[in-house]
Amino acid sequence: MTDPLASTPAEDGFAMPAEGAPHRGCFMIWPERPDNWRLGAGPARAAFAAVAHAIAETEPVTMIVSAAARESARALLSPAIRLVEAATDDAWCRDTGPTFVTDAAGRLRGVDWRFNAWGGFDGGLYAPWAQDDRLAEIILAGEDVPRYRAGFVLEGGAIHVDGDGTALVTEACLLSNNRNPGMDRAAIETALRAYLGVSTVIWLGAGVVEDETGGHVDNLACFARPGLVVLAGCDDPADPQYEVTHDAKARLAAARDARGRPIEVATLPMPGPLFMTAEEASGLDASNGAGMARGAGQRLAASYVNHYLANGRVVMPLLDPATDEDAAALLARLHPDRRVAGIPAREILLGGGNIHCITQQMPAGTPG
């Protein structure tokens, strides 16, 4: 391992590019925890493999896998998917892997955020989390990519950028006392500008209802391109998601991005609401963290916003036959240069996230 850089990305002229910019590859983690992935993670592994194969058709995929689970990964994954051995605490590469940044010369570096399992001992989902906190450093060292080590807690799913100077976040997550209790809104904005290379931060309020990350923005809203945000919709006033969605619309209507543009909003349908069944809950081991308790009737934080923009492709979750087709059609209109690939993703959703949560893009660039 190498020492982290003493500067910040912004000081060095680096910034996080938009997810839709060209990728050098994608990282994922093979699921394993029996208290989060039912039936010994077998159904989840099939779903992860389907996502990996869809992405691997257009960009290289690297799967992080433990020594104990390597054989199961190799049996289900194409030889084209590279396996890299490392120990992890769970399988959310968006949050535990590095966030990559680039500069105008095409150089590539990575940000290693501090990670505390979405809240540490005050509402976090599991303990220990030390292996997950080390993962970004391991990935960057393996790729020979220089590393910035942030001095504060953040997860990759808690941020979204347009690649043109604007970041999108939620108050529910970034202002929570279980992440960075010594940092107020101004301090967090300063840190985001330093490590993402942005100049403007747009704050939404709450996240998707029952999102156990504390309200990650990548489940609620994302940039399709600068000036255009895709939002998880809800048309039922009796659903608690209705108020969240309409508050987000109001905030976006009042916002301007880093270039002074108003924000256009495209609304994806909300699947369900969906709930964990008794059969699904019965396939889980008892959890060692109260924050990750699973049970029959638990509402699942389902959202089509939780998709991945691969090179030439939108990899989206299929969650509800009543809304899958409409969601796919809207994503196709928003990304006419990409083919939409729908992946049955309920098994990923049962673990607490979806396709965007289990992937982490590495943008095109040369390490340096």
Side-chain angles (χ1 to χ4, degrees):
M1 302 294 181
T2 58
D3 292 335
L5 298 163
S7 52
T8 68
E11 289 173 338
D12 296 338
F14 283 75
M16 181 182 177
E19 187 170 322
H23 293 177
R24 176 173 168 160
C26 174
F27 290 91
M28 298 177 64
I29 305 167
W30 198 238
E32 192 167 354
R33 300 183 68 104
D35 58 349
N36 197 39
W37 307 106
R38 70 190 188 102
L39 304 177
R45 286 172 175 173
F48 275 56
V51 171
H53 289 144
I55 296 172
E57 290 185 18
T58 64
E59 66 189 55
V61 174
T62 297
M63 187 70 71
I64 308 297
V65 61
S66 73
R70 186 182 186 97
E71 185 176 340
S72 70
R74 192 72 285 165
L76 289 178
L77 296 173
S78 159
I81 295 173
R82 180 178 62 150
L83 301 186
V84 170
E85 194 171 302
T88 61
D89 297 300
D90 207 352
W92 306 107
C93 202
R94 176 68 49 180
D95 293 346
T96 60
T99 293
F100 291 93
V101 292
T102 58
D103 71 356
R107 293 184 297 170
L108 182 68
R109 294 180 181 176
V111 179
D112 174 8
W113 311 108
R114 297 192 182 278
F115 180 75
N116 73 348
W118 310 276
F121 294 109
D122 179 18
L125 299 188
Y126 53 73
W129 55 79
Q131 292 179 142
D132 278 351
D133 190 38
R134 286 194 296 266
L135 181 64
E137 181 180 4
I138 291 170
I139 289 174
L140 293 171
E143 300 297 317
D144 200 26
V145 172
R147 175 175 67 102
Y148 298 96
R149 175 61 166 172
F152 59 100
V153 173
L154 191 75
E155 305 93 34
I159 52 174
H160 212 279
V161 302
D162 66 353
D164 203 22
T166 311
L168 193 61
V169 301
T170 66
E171 294 171 345
C173 183
L174 270 67
L175 299 184
S176 171
N177 284 331
N178 64 10
R179 299 302 210 284
N180 299 291
M183 298 176 70
D184 60 11
R185 183 191 297 258
I188 289 172
E189 286 199 11
T190 297
L192 293 176
R193 292 188 184 101
Y195 283 90
L196 298 179
V198 298
S199 58
T200 297
V201 180
I202 297 176
W203 291 85
L204 302 183
V208 169
V209 170
E210 299 297 333
D211 185 339
E212 61 190 14
T213 65
H216 273 185
V217 74
D218 74 340
N219 212 28
L220 176 69
C222 65
F223 287 105
R225 60 177 180 269
L228 176 57
V229 168
V230 185
L231 179 67
C234 181
D235 296 324
D236 180 6
D239 190 319
Q241 184 62 40
Y242 181 87
E243 184 176 340
V244 173
T245 292
H246 283 263
D247 176 69
K249 284 183 178 179
R251 291 171 183 247
L252 290 167
R256 294 294 183 269
D257 70 10
R259 307 296 178 184
R261 292 172 292 225
I263 305 297
E264 180 185 355
V265 176
T267 305
L268 281 166
M270 176 66 72
L274 306 178
F275 301 87
M276 182 176 289
T277 68
E279 179 184 0
E280 289 165 342
S282 69
L284 292 162
D285 287 4
S287 174
N288 70 348
M292 201 170 65
R294 303 281 185 257
Q298 176 184 347
R299 179 163 174 164
L300 304 172
S303 170
Y304 296 111
V305 173
N306 211 303
H307 58 268
Y308 179 78
L309 297 183
N311 290 338
R313 178 160 296 185
V314 182
V315 184
M316 64 163 283
L318 299 178
L319 298 167
D320 184 346
T323 49
D324 286 345
E325 189 173 328
D326 288 344
L330 177 58
L331 289 171
R333 290 196 298 272
L334 294 175
H335 301 284
D337 57 338
R338 288 177 160 84
R339 184 170 73 82
V340 175
I343 306 297
R346 183 174 176 92
E347 294 296 338
I348 306 171
L349 177 61
L350 290 171
N354 225 291
I355 289 173
H356 195 257
C357 302
I358 66 171
T359 53
Q360 179 60 273
Q361 72 273 5
M362 178 167 59
T366 302

